[in-house]
Amino acid sequence: MRRTPIGSLIAVLVAVALVGWLVLRALEARSVYLPQVPWLVDLAILALAGAVFWSGWAVRSYQKGKRPSLDGLRAARTLVLAKAAALTGALLGGWYLAQVLVVLGDLTIEPRRDRAIAAGIAVLCSVVLAVVGLIVEKFCELPPSDKDRTSSDEGESPAPA
């Protein structure tokens, strides 16, 4: 399994932000307004990031030799969880960025400014989730085997995993 490219996460974030901005503008044109982002959302995203990091730390500890054993299935699940966290962070970041963009022109109005601040904090929390997902993916990366090291020392490319 290959690591998640950062460029694809940025593309997801931008695409969701653009589509979300268009949808939110259309809704506001019909006098439909979303409520302010609750602080509980930020806590939930950060708690998820912490859980992903904690799960990845167990895999990292095993690879560093500080943990005696680790179930291979748990390591594989941790990798999948990390990939999902990275993508979820990008998706949520785009959605909350769209909310910031919609109210950007009305920052002099206090409720709109409060909404922009709340959504901006949610964007930051979502980016933290995506970054933690990428870090945990790195934790789950297997070190090159002796065969891969000798073939790369001889100028050959290592065999794909």
Side-chain angles (χ1 to χ4, degrees):
M1 192 180 280
R2 292 184 301 157
R3 293 186 58 201
T4 305
I6 295 173
S8 66
L9 294 178
I10 292 171
V12 166
L13 186 136
V14 169
V16 170
L18 179 64
V19 171
W21 178 75
L22 291 171
V23 168
L24 290 173
R25 291 288 302 222
L27 286 172
E28 287 193 356
R30 295 175 180 245
S31 298
V32 177
Y33 298 95
L34 289 181
Q36 180 174 322
V37 178
W39 59 269
L40 190 58
V41 167
D42 303 331
L43 288 178
I45 293 171
L46 291 178
L48 181 59
V52 171
F53 188 79
W54 177 75
S55 180
W57 193 258
V59 175
R60 182 181 184 276
S61 296
Y62 173 75
Q63 288 202 19
K64 297 283 184 186
K66 296 178 182 176
R67 185 182 175 124
S69 67
L70 179 74
D71 182 30
L73 188 56
R74 179 177 177 189
R77 287 178 178 160
T78 300
L79 176 62
V80 171
L81 179 66
K83 289 179 98 40
L87 185 57
T88 301
L91 288 167
L92 289 174
W95 172 244
Y96 293 122
L97 182 60
Q99 293 184 33
V100 170
L101 294 175
V102 165
V103 298
L104 208 53
D106 300 330
L107 293 179
T108 56
I109 303 169
E110 187 175 348
R112 302 286 273 180
R113 182 175 57 244
D114 292 344
R115 184 172 167 200
I117 291 170
I121 292 170
V123 170
L124 293 177
C125 293
S126 300
V127 169
V128 166
L129 178 62
V131 169
V132 165
L134 292 173
I135 290 170
V136 171
E137 276 188 41
K138 180 70 174 161
F139 288 170
C140 295
E141 191 174 74
L142 291 174
S145 65
D146 291 335
K147 180 181 176 183
D148 291 341
R149 286 184 195 150
T150 57
S151 63
S152 60
D153 291 342
E154 297 169 0
E156 301 173 12
S157 62

